[in-house]
């Protein structure tokens, strides 16, 4: 199930962070909302957990320590991208909770 969860996460990531040149924004939003609804309402608990684990793996990869050549992708990821993955890890499949303060 890990491979399937990785693909779903990659698709969800694309919908959230693609450019207007890659996909018309209204279409991306509709597809993203539909996917979030499906995850929240149609995915089984094990499928949700698999997606959360995929997000954990992705976040760990992004935030990993520099390799022997000094490369790490952490400088390339935005705070919004980190928040997106953390929201999924936390079980918020529609994105980070809105702070109502």
């Amino acid at each position: 199930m890990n491979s399937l969860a990785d693909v779903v996460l990659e698709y969800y990531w694309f919908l959230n962070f693609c450019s207007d040149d890659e996909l018309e924004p209204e279409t991306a939003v509709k597809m993203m909302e539909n996917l979030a609804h499906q995850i929240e309402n149609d995915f089984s608990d094990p499928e949700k957990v698999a997606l959360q684990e995929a997000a954990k793996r992705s976040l760990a990869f992004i935030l990993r320590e520099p390799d022997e050549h000094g490369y790490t992708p952490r400088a390339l990821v935005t705070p919004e991208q980190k928040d997106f993955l953390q929201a999924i890890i936390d079980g918020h499949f529609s994105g980070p909770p809105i702070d109502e303060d």
Side-chain angles (χ1 to χ4, degrees):
M1 195 171 333
N2 284 349
S3 295
L4 183 57
D6 289 340
V7 169
V8 170
L9 181 63
E10 186 176 328
Y11 175 64
Y12 203 17
W13 178 279
F14 172 77
L15 292 176
N16 273 276
F17 301 111
C18 66
S19 70
D20 294 355
D21 293 337
E22 293 174 303
L23 185 62
E24 199 274 324
E26 281 188 36
T27 301
V29 169
K30 286 178 187 175
M31 294 172 77
M32 191 171 38
E33 289 171 348
N34 184 48
L35 181 57
H37 182 270
Q38 287 179 314
I39 292 167
E40 291 175 349
N41 297 289
D42 299 337
F43 277 35
S44 67
D45 288 341
E47 290 169 327
K48 289 176 185 177
V49 169
L51 184 56
Q52 288 172 291
E53 292 298 320
K56 285 180 189 176
R57 288 190 303 276
S58 182
L59 188 59
F61 177 80
I62 289 169
L63 299 179
R64 72 184 186 275
E65 293 298 318
D67 64 15
E68 65 273 6
H69 306 289
Y71 174 75
T72 179
R74 73 174 63 179
L76 303 175
V77 68
T78 67
E80 293 82 15
Q81 291 169 325
K82 289 180 203 172
D83 290 346
F84 168 78
L85 292 172
Q86 190 60 56
I88 292 173
I89 292 167
D90 294 341
H92 303 289
F93 300 106
S94 294
I98 298 172
D99 194 13
E100 297 184 19
D101 290 338

